[in-house]
Amino acid sequence: AQSVTQLGSHVSVSEGALVLLRCNYSSSVPPYLFWYVQYPNQGLQLLLKYTTGATLVKGINGFEAEFKKSETSFHLTKPSAHMSDAAEYFCAVTRDNAGNMLTFGGGTRLMVKP
Amino acid sequence: DTEVTQTPKHLVMGMTNKKSLKCEQHMGHRAMYWYKQKAKKPPELMFVYSYEKLSINESVPSRFSPECPNSSLLNLHLHALQPEDSALYLCASSQDGYGYTFGSGTRLTVV
């Protein structure tokens, strides 16, 4: 069975600082991994995904994530935080190798200080 | 069209009411999902439809009844809900598990 753990339910950074949101997964099969962002009172927007191929994945809004199989990690980074990045971020993994069920981590709330 | 559209955006209903949530996508995706999200929690899977057939029911109470009339539409019929069912209900679709597109959700309040 697949599962996802996000380390840190709240992360606070200063505007312009590096953003690092941590995600570790457990999976009995090669996983498909996703990062989603959710702004208040809105749905989920896909930031980026890893399925196969290049392990460094670039997404929207300047975010990127690196799949590290040896560390079972898929951490999300952004070199310079903007105030508009303040939101809830969810790491997710498909629950089966048919990719039909998405399981989410507990979420990390990113706060950006001026 | 690359969106999943959910209606209504907000719904307030009494515990004896019957209402329906609607979800529509025109991306040709053959899998559609209902998720429930409580405040400050991740979304939890409720139902999965694959090729218009119910493939997953995550032990959801029978007061929630899903329906997939065709490949573009997904409904969630609500009856005799409890206040603890108040949540954001999210619909999503995917073609092959490589990418899921979520709607903006229906904020449900049961009074």
Side-chain angles (χ1 to χ4, degrees):
Chain A
Q2 284 83 345
S3 67
V4 179
T5 301
Q6 291 183 241
L7 299 176
S9 59
H10 293 80
V11 170
S12 181
V13 301
S14 297
E15 191 173 20
L18 172 72
V19 175
L20 171 61
L21 304 183
R22 299 178 186 273
C23 173
N24 288 87
Y25 69 91
S26 65
S27 176
S28 57
V29 298
Y32 299 153
L33 294 157
F34 307 82
W35 274 101
Y36 284 88
V37 62
Q38 186 176 33
Y39 298 100
N41 298 313
Q42 294 189 25
L44 278 74
Q45 181 182 12
L46 180 67
L47 282 176
L48 47 81
K49 63 184 178 186
Y50 169 78
T51 53
T52 58
T55 56
L56 181 61
V57 181
K58 294 187 183 298
I60 62 172
N61 302 340
F63 285 94
E64 63 181 38
E66 187 171 9
F67 171 61
K68 292 187 176 181
K69 185 177 179 180
S70 61
E71 299 177 7
T72 61
S73 69
F74 191 57
H75 302 329
L76 182 71
T77 61
K78 182 175 180 178
S80 176
H82 294 172
M83 296 297 293
S84 60
D85 294 327
E88 189 83 20
Y89 291 80
F90 292 100
C91 183
V93 64
T94 48
R95 267 169 57 181
D96 65 7
N97 47 3
N100 282 325
M101 293 180 288
L102 200 60
T103 296
F104 291 90
T108 298
R109 179 163 296 277
L110 176 65
M111 295 168 283
V112 182
K113 299 175 291 187
Chain B
D1 188 351
T2 59
E3 291 187 346
V4 173
T5 303
Q6 289 188 243
T7 56
K9 294 192 181 303
H10 301 275
L11 178 64
V12 179
M13 61 184 292
M15 289 188 283
T16 58
N17 291 159
K18 288 184 179 181
K19 297 287 185 182
S20 296
L21 309 185
K22 297 185 183 302
C23 174
E24 187 169 7
Q25 57 89 14
H26 295 287
M27 295 175 281
H29 289 175
R30 303 317 301 263
M32 296 186 75
Y33 312 79
W34 281 114
Y35 282 84
K36 174 182 178 180
Q37 186 180 24
K38 301 285 278 185
K40 302 185 188 303
K41 296 291 186 181
E44 296 178 347
L45 183 65
M46 299 175 72
F47 302 104
V48 179
Y49 272 83
S50 180
Y51 291 87
E52 302 168 47
K53 296 200 181 301
L54 183 65
S55 61
I56 302 289
N57 177 341
E58 293 285 278
S59 302
V60 178
S62 59
R63 57 185 183 267
F64 296 91
S65 176
E67 177 196 22
C68 189
N70 61 54
S71 60
S72 299
L73 295 174
L74 186 65
N75 299 322
L76 186 62
H77 302 299
L78 314 173
H79 174 54
L81 295 193
Q82 303 298 309
E84 58 265 30
D85 296 322
S86 298
L88 180 68
Y89 288 84
L90 293 164
C91 175
S93 70
S94 74
Q95 176 57 24
D96 48 15
Y98 291 112
Y100 296 72
T101 302
F102 282 84
S104 58
T106 294
R107 176 73 61 188
L108 175 68
T109 303
V110 181
V111 297

